[in-house]
């Protein structure tokens, strides 16, 4: 999103980080309000807890056609992956029953908040790296078991491009998270891990997901 859009939304927040935009989106999902977290590819808000303690992560983009299409792909991908048992945050429907809704000129989707912690790259030791890699492999494996490798449309995923002579067999090619960095993994009690931020889910080579995840440790260029 353009910087002007990021600034415009940030200026709507008050001293408690509430915004009329976030609060309106929260009400569409049955919550009283929401707190602004950050903006990048999407504006991200976290709702106030519901009576059962559950919180939602609201992801929103201007409803300009491409924004709502992108969120629909994200919601569809997360829904299918979570249903297959992959370690992916679960989308939550709005009160209307839709996974993506329109609120005050914005397209909005919600994921059930995963309670836990995320690690910075300098906090990843050998044991954590192994657990992180295993979790990513589990996501790849379960996506393949759900036949998403052969049907990218079901995952709401874009197609990968690359040399035609590279193999595209299920052992090396399938549905990728697309942005499996440490800050997109939430670690809960007992060492369970869940990926969040499904915006970049697509079909490609599993090695690409691994390489992207490790870019924090790569030298420039």
């Amino acid at each position: 999103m353009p910087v002007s859009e990021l600034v415009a939304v940030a200026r709507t927040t008050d001293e408690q980080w509430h915004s009329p935009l976030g609060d309106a989106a929260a009400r569409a999902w049955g919550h009283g309000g929401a707190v602004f977290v950050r903006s990048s590819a999407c504006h991200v808000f976290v709702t106030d807890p519901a009576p059962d303690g559950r919180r939602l992560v609201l992801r929103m983009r201007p409803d300009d056609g491409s924004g709502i299409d992108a969120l629909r792909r994200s919601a569809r991908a997360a829904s299918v992956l979570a249903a297959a048992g992959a370690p992916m945050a679960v989308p939550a429907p709005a009160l209307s029953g839709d996974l993506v809704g329109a609120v005050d000129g914005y397209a909005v989707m919600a994921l059930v908040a995963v309670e836990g912690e995320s690690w910075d790259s300098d906090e990843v030791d050998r044991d954590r790296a192994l657990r992180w890699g295993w979790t990513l492999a589990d996501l790849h494996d379960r996506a393949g078991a759900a036949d998403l490798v052969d049907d990218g449309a079901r995952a709401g995923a874009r197609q990968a491009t690359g040399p035609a002579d590279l193999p595209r067999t299920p052992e090396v090619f399938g549905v990728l998270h697309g942005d499996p960095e440490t800050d997109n993994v939430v670690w809960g009690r007992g060492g369970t891990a869940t990926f969040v931020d499904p915006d970049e889910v697509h079909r490609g080579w599993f090695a690409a997901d691994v390489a992207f995840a490790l870019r924090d440790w790569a030298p420039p260029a």
Side-chain angles (χ1 to χ4, degrees):
M1 293 186 293
V3 173
S4 58
E5 168 64 24
L6 309 186
V7 172
V9 170
R11 285 177 173 171
T12 69
T13 60
D14 61 20
E15 293 181 356
Q16 285 72 45
W17 298 103
H18 277 266
S19 160
L21 174 61
D23 290 346
R27 289 192 293 271
W29 265 261
H31 288 251
V35 175
F36 175 76
V37 177
R38 62 180 173 84
S39 293
S40 54
C42 291
H43 302 298
V44 180
F45 291 80
V46 176
T47 66
D48 299 335
D52 61 2
R54 188 178 76 159
R55 301 187 301 162
L56 299 177
V57 177
L58 303 172
R59 304 177 61 81
M60 58 184 72
R61 299 177 63 164
D63 185 7
D64 57 3
S66 61
I68 196 167
D69 288 343
L71 287 186
R72 282 174 177 159
R73 287 193 298 272
S74 297
R76 176 59 176 155
S79 179
V80 175
L81 288 170
M88 174 65 75
V90 181
L95 295 177
S96 66
D98 299 321
L99 286 179
V100 177
V103 178
D104 294 346
Y106 284 81
V108 186
M109 66 170 286
L111 297 169
V112 177
V114 181
E115 305 296 344
E117 63 177 0
S118 293
W119 300 328
D120 293 329
S121 57
D122 59 0
E123 296 178 297
V124 179
D125 56 18
R126 181 178 183 277
D127 177 64
R128 287 180 169 183
L130 288 171
R131 290 159 61 193
W132 176 28
W134 185 93
T135 303
L136 182 59
D138 185 42
L139 184 147
H140 293 160
D141 186 54
R142 291 180 184 272
D147 295 327
L148 299 184
V149 169
D150 298 320
D151 186 359
R154 285 188 57 201
R158 58 183 171 84
Q159 299 291 323
T161 58
D165 58 343
L166 288 181
R168 297 197 179 205
T169 59
E171 291 78 17
V172 297
F173 187 93
V175 174
L176 310 183
H177 179 277
D179 190 10
E181 295 179 314
T182 53
D183 58 357
N184 281 330
V185 186
V186 178
W187 295 90
R189 295 179 180 177
T192 59
T194 305
F195 281 100
V196 298
D197 192 355
D199 291 347
E200 300 299 326
V201 170
H202 66 284
R203 298 178 72 234
W205 291 272
F206 299 137
D209 241 5
V210 176
F212 196 90
L214 296 177
R215 65 180 181 167
D216 279 352
W217 292 273

